[in-house]
Amino acid sequence: MTLSLFVLIAWVVVIIFVKMPKHISYLDIIFLYCLSLILSTNTFTILDVNLHFVEISRKVEKSFAVITERVITIPLLLIMSANVMHSCIKWYKKLFVVITILIVLLSFHLLLSRMGVLTKHHWKFAFSVLMYTSFALLINLFSWWFVRLGRRKAEND
Amino acid sequence: MNNVRYDDSFNINEWSVLIGFAVGLTVILLLPRRFPLKKSIVFFMIGATTGFFFDHTLGVIPVDYYDINDTSKFKFIDAIAYFMYGPVGYLFFYLYDRLTISASNSPIYVLACAACSISFEWIAHLVGVFHYKHGYSIAYSFPIYLIVLSCWVVIFHLTKQMQR
């Protein structure tokens, strides 16, 4: 049940991602995907294996639900936020979309806890807010750098 | 997950990781430039991400098939070990493009690269970078390499199509 639900969520995120207009190139998307995957997998492993703050269930079905979440859902939502930041819409609309994406990420995190996939020790909800906000900030910073890297190169050529 | 400690000192496995990473980066920098900078970074990142992805899925619960370096816990040297896959990824794409391998010959290229990867993994296992657990052996890595490298070939052709 848990795995099916999170696979369904991941698939819906994939559909939204594929359908949304892209304001960054495919190379930028691959780069950002790699970066967000490294970021999410590392953070989850450190929080679980090293610190035991957010322990992932040892049951096969539930742990695969987390893998689905950190390999598909989190990276794609973070790329969506970077994509929106590179669009031409007004800044308050961009901010609204990014905050919505953060709320969605936090809701999935809460859902994982409620379904017994994640067990939290010495971990407050505020830390999750901080974690996902840092993810979004980092991905956006790297996206600005990487997108401009291509533009600068083209200008020099 | 129980924390298994294999050794405590900074020895051959850490040195192998550092030297391997340094050699990989040096080779990338010394090779004549073949791709635009952005593409080179992406090829490097694809390699590193593959390392991170497999080691954070096969190396952790529920399967927990192997540990990296001194303990089951995640350490900074482990991150460098994953980034060692970066130069591997770049070199794979570089040689694929340099040797102008056709789609029909790509399975042979993938097989050759998988054989090289298995050899490097065996050396890494001997020096204590990888510690296999729960019945996992190097033989299981071979099909994984074949699948991953085949995916890399597909990614290479996709990036080429995007350029057009």
Side-chain angles (χ1 to χ4, degrees), chain A residues 75-95:
Chain A
L76 288 190
L77 284 169
L78 290 174
I79 297 169
M80 278 184 204
S81 75
N83 183 46
V84 168
M85 290 306 278
H86 284 90
S87 66
C88 299
I89 57 171
K90 292 209 166 95
W91 70 269
Y92 59 87
K93 285 183 184 169
K94 288 181 185 177
L95 197 67

Side-chain angles (χ1 to χ4, degrees), chain A residues 25-78:
Chain A
S25 72
Y26 286 104
L27 269 185
D28 299 332
I29 291 171
I30 298 173
F31 172 76
L32 292 177
Y33 177 79
C34 292
L35 205 67
S36 38
L37 190 117
I38 290 174
L39 204 64
S40 67
T41 49
N42 271 343
T43 311
F44 271 87
T45 305
I46 291 169
L47 288 177
D48 179 22
V49 179
N50 288 38
L51 303 170
H52 304 288
F53 282 174
V54 182
E55 283 189 324
I56 300 165
S57 169
R58 270 52 179 157
K59 287 180 184 163
V60 176
E61 193 209 354
K62 289 183 174 178
S63 50
F64 272 114
V66 178
I67 291 173
T68 312
E69 164 91 354
R70 68 190 186 188
V71 170
I72 302 171
T73 314
I74 297 175
L76 288 190
L77 284 169
L78 290 174

